Amino acid sequence: MSSSLSASPSTSSLRAYGWDDAWAAEFAPYAAQGLLPGRVVRVDRGQCDLVTPEGIVRADTAFVTPHDPLRVICTGDWAAVDPEGVGDPRYVRAYLPRRTTFARSTSSKRSEGQVLATNVDHAIITVSLAVELDLGRIERFLALAWESGAQPLVVLSKADLVPDPVGLSYLVEDVETVAPGVQVLPVSSHTGEGLDVLRAVAASGTSVLLGVSGAGKSTLANTLLGEDVMDVRAARDVDGKGRHTTTTRNLLVLPGGGVLIDTPGLRGVGLWDAEAGVGQVFAEIEDLAGDCRFHDCAHESEPGCAVTAAIADGTLPERRLDSYRKLLRENQRLVAKTDARVRAEILKDWKRKGAAGRAALEAKRGRAR
């Protein structure tokens, strides 16, 4: 395909926001209708701000507000919007198929999914070194990041609070053990440590900053942007927690190239249909499981279990297996609420285990007689 559409004067300004020939090809049917391409930079109460060839415009999202919360328009989407002079307010008429989707489960009893960012290349998981590392939480973020289709990066922020290089290296190693295939980067906005590497990553596409409140995301965003765009407040000394200085998801162009989406601090990191992501985070366990005697081994007391053997000889920490089981169970419960087939499989498995337990008990009683 010719690149004339994506490089035309009307859309060349969008290249800084990630517009390319592939997006232009996807948008062609909407261009034929006279609609404008735009990338969503902020969503707020049924409306959104988009960057378009006409500049930043405000548009209503009523035409793209489905019942499925995973399909609502989100920061990072590429959309088709009314051109200038067509109605007041303008409307977003459609959005293009997403390349990647970062989603989590909500804390509501309805167990709905929530999209945090779309069309992201890098998921930058920000973890503060001002508090004790929570490896389980890091594993959760990583599972969601892998499931989204983005490449994760773990940034250990506030590295200047760990002045001992040996101590810092141990902390990096601890995180590396739970992040196979993921770069772990200590960073300090105060000293500049690690910022060149982080800037290089962020310059190559769209990145989303993720983490809990007080992790230092807004400070990192300001450092990458080269100006104080995001509000920053000090975290509490007692627990390192901060208030939500970012209340919406904002898409910002970086001066060195690339696009950054800053998100509010997440109190809950619930999985959402992330079985493949969990498998990626715990790749060593899934590799070991391939050597178990039984293909449906639960890695508990079965003979010939390669996973429990690895725990026994110290090559696999028991904490990793416990976390793996916990995340798989959580993900399965969420999927079962919306998938009757999965519910039936869970019930069948419960019955099988119950029958096996009763048979073992009867055998034990028989030996006792």
Side-chain angles (χ1 to χ4, degrees):
M1 170 192 157
S2 169
S3 63
S4 59
L5 179 59
S6 61
S8 66
S10 63
T11 58
S12 60
S13 61
L14 299 181
R15 282 199 173 274
Y17 289 85
W19 183 259
D20 58 27
D21 290 348
W23 286 123
E26 290 274 6
F27 190 79
Y30 301 105
Q33 299 173 34
L35 297 173
L36 285 176
R39 192 164 195 191
V40 179
V41 298
R42 186 172 181 270
V43 178
D44 180 30
R45 298 179 183 179
Q47 293 189 318
C48 67
D49 295 329
L50 306 96
V51 58
T52 75
E54 295 179 358
I56 298 291
V57 303
R58 185 80 164 166
D60 196 292
T61 65
F63 285 103
V64 287
T65 306
H67 294 296
D68 182 355
L70 292 174
R71 296 178 59 198
V72 299
I73 200 161
C74 182
T75 302
D77 277 328
W78 283 100
V81 65
D82 290 334
E84 186 176 9
V86 179
D88 184 18
R90 295 190 188 188
Y91 285 95
V92 173
R93 299 295 173 173
Y95 63 81
L96 302 185
R98 295 161 172 169
R99 294 178 183 176
T100 62
T101 302
F102 194 100
R104 65 162 181 173
S105 69
T106 66
S107 58
S108 70
K109 293 182 179 180
R110 292 178 294 178
S111 297
E112 293 178 339
Q114 179 191 25
V115 181
L116 297 180
T118 63
N119 301 315
V120 170
D121 301 293
H122 309 286
I124 302 174
I125 301 164
T126 311
V127 180
S128 172
L129 289 178
V131 294
E132 185 177 354
L133 291 175
D134 186 336
L135 298 180
R137 179 182 289 142
I138 294 172
E139 289 164 341
R140 284 174 170 273
F141 272 114
L142 287 170
L144 292 173
W146 282 123
E147 191 69 33
S148 75
Q151 171 65 46
L153 166 68
V154 178
V155 165
L156 302 181
S157 66
K158 308 179 185 181
D160 53 285
L161 298 181
V162 187
D164 176 22
V166 175
L168 181 60
S169 69
Y170 287 152
L171 292 171
V172 172
E173 288 177 9
D174 286 344
V175 177
E176 287 175 339
T177 62
V178 304
V182 176
Q183 183 177 12
V184 179
L185 181 66
V187 168
S188 170
S189 296
H190 180 66
T191 67
E193 180 180 0
L195 289 178
D196 287 346
V197 177
L198 183 58
R199 287 193 180 99
V201 171
S204 59
T206 298
S207 302
V208 60
L209 277 174
L210 301 158
V212 300
S213 298
K217 299 187 306 302
S218 294
T219 299
L220 277 180
N222 287 336
T223 302
L224 292 172
L225 289 163
E227 56 182 319
D228 291 340
V229 174
M230 311 307 296
D231 184 23
V232 177
R233 299 175 190 170
R236 299 193 301 244
D237 291 337
V238 64
D239 55 11
K241 293 181 179 179
R243 287 179 289 177
H244 291 295
T245 54
T246 302
T247 57
T248 59
R249 293 178 285 280
N250 302 282
L251 185 147
L252 306 156
V253 173
L254 298 173
V259 176
L260 183 70
I261 299 176
D262 190 22
T263 64
L266 302 175
R267 290 190 178 92
V269 195
L271 300 186
W272 182 260
D273 198 8
E275 183 176 354
V278 173
Q280 188 83 19
V281 176
F282 298 91
E284 80 278 28
I285 295 178
E286 301 221 330
D287 288 343
L288 285 168
D291 295 328
C292 291
R293 181 183 300 178
F294 304 108
H295 75 277
D296 59 347
C297 183
H299 318 309
E300 293 174 348
S301 57
E302 297 89 343
C305 176
V307 174
T308 53
I311 290 176
D313 66 22
T315 57
L316 177 67
E318 189 168 2
R319 191 208 68 81
R320 284 283 281 172
L321 180 58
D322 290 341
S323 184
Y324 175 65
R325 287 170 171 161
K326 180 180 180 180
L327 294 184
L328 280 182
R329 286 195 302 268
E330 177 183 325
N331 189 72
Q332 190 178 48
R333 284 196 301 271
L334 284 166
V335 173
K337 290 183 178 181
T338 57
D339 192 322
R341 180 185 58 82
V342 174
R343 287 198 298 274
E345 289 178 354
I346 292 174
L347 181 59
K348 182 179 179 180
D349 186 54
W350 282 347
K351 290 180 177 179
R352 180 185 63 79
K353 290 182 176 179
R358 288 191 295 272
L361 182 59
E362 289 299 324
K364 184 177 180 180
R365 287 173 177 171
R367 289 194 298 270
R369 294 193 188 109

Coordinates of all heavy atoms in Angstrom, one line a residue, residues 54 58-60 63 81-91 93:
E54 N -6.9 18.3 13.1 CA -7.4 19.7 13.5 C -6.9 20.1 14.8 O -7.2 21.2 15.3 CB -8.9 19.7 13.5 CG -9.6 19.4 12.1 CD -11.1 19.4 12.2 OE1 -11.6 19.6 13.3 OE2 -11.7 19.3 11.1
R58 N -12.9 17.8 21.5 CA -13.7 17.2 22.5 C -14.8 16.5 21.8 O -15.5 17.1 20.9 CB -14.2 18.2 23.5 CG -15.0 17.6 24.6 CD -14.1 17.1 25.7 NE -14.8 16.9 27.0 CZ -14.2 16.3 28.0 NH1 -13.0 15.7 27.8 NH2 -14.9 16.1 29.1
A59 N -15.1 15.2 22.1 CA -16.2 14.5 21.4 C -16.9 13.6 22.4 O -16.4 13.1 23.4 CB -15.6 13.6 20.3
D60 N -18.2 13.4 22.0 CA -19.1 12.6 22.8 C -18.9 11.1 22.4 O -18.7 10.8 21.2 CB -20.5 13.0 22.6 CG -21.5 12.4 23.7 OD1 -21.7 11.2 23.7 OD2 -22.0 13.2 24.4
F63 N -22.0 6.9 20.8 CA -22.2 5.9 19.8 C -21.2 4.7 19.9 O -21.4 3.7 19.3 CB -21.9 6.6 18.4 CG -23.0 7.5 17.9 CD1 -22.9 8.8 18.0 CD2 -24.2 6.9 17.4 CE1 -23.9 9.7 17.5 CE2 -25.2 7.7 16.9 CZ -25.1 9.1 17.0
V81 N -13.8 10.3 14.2 CA -14.5 11.4 14.8 C -15.1 12.3 13.8 O -14.5 12.5 12.7 CB -13.6 12.1 15.9 CG1 -12.5 12.8 15.2 CG2 -14.5 13.1 16.7
D82 N -16.2 12.9 14.1 CA -16.8 13.9 13.2 C -15.8 15.0 12.9 O -15.1 15.5 13.8 CB -18.0 14.6 13.8 CG -19.2 13.6 13.9 OD1 -19.3 12.7 13.1 OD2 -20.0 13.8 14.8
P83 N -15.7 15.5 11.7 CA -14.9 16.7 11.3 C -15.5 18.0 11.9 O -16.7 18.0 12.3 CB -14.8 16.6 9.8 CG -16.1 16.0 9.4 CD -16.4 15.0 10.5
E84 N -14.7 19.0 11.8 CA -15.2 20.3 12.2 C -16.5 20.7 11.5 O -16.6 20.5 10.3 CB -14.1 21.4 12.1 CG -14.4 22.7 12.7 CD -13.3 23.7 12.6 OE1 -12.3 23.4 11.8 OE2 -13.4 24.8 13.2
G85 N -17.4 21.3 12.2 CA -18.6 21.8 11.6 C -19.7 20.8 11.5 O -20.8 21.1 10.9
V86 N -19.5 19.5 11.9 CA -20.5 18.5 11.8 C -21.1 18.3 13.2 O -20.6 17.5 14.0 CB -20.0 17.2 11.3 CG1 -21.1 16.1 11.2 CG2 -19.4 17.4 9.9
G87 N -22.1 19.0 13.6 CA -22.8 18.8 14.8 C -22.1 19.4 16.0 O -20.9 19.6 16.0
D88 N -22.8 19.7 17.0 CA -22.3 20.1 18.3 C -23.1 19.5 19.4 O -24.3 19.8 19.6 CB -22.4 21.7 18.4 CG -21.8 22.2 19.7 OD1 -21.0 21.5 20.3 OD2 -22.1 23.3 20.1
P89 N -22.6 18.5 20.1 CA -21.2 18.2 20.1 C -20.8 17.2 19.0 O -21.7 16.7 18.3 CB -21.0 17.4 21.5 CG -22.4 16.7 21.6 CD -23.4 17.7 21.1
R90 N -19.5 17.1 18.8 CA -19.0 16.1 17.9 C -19.2 14.7 18.5 O -19.3 14.6 19.7 CB -17.5 16.3 17.6 CG -17.2 17.6 16.8 CD -15.8 17.6 16.4 NE -15.3 18.9 15.9 CZ -14.1 19.0 15.3 NH1 -13.3 18.0 15.2 NH2 -13.8 20.2 14.8
Y91 N -19.1 13.7 17.6 CA -19.2 12.4 18.2 C -18.1 11.5 17.6 O -17.6 11.7 16.5 CB -20.6 11.7 17.7 CG -21.8 12.2 18.5 CD1 -22.5 13.2 18.0 CD2 -22.1 11.7 19.7 CE1 -23.6 13.7 18.7 CE2 -23.2 12.1 20.5 CZ -24.0 13.2 19.9 OH -25.0 13.6 20.6
R93 N -17.5 8.1 16.2 CA -18.3 7.2 15.4 C -17.9 5.7 15.5 O -18.7 4.8 15.4 CB -18.4 7.6 14.0 CG -18.9 9.0 13.8 CD -20.4 9.1 14.2 NE -20.9 10.5 14.1 CZ -22.2 10.8 14.3 NH1 -23.1 9.9 14.6 NH2 -22.6 12.1 14.3

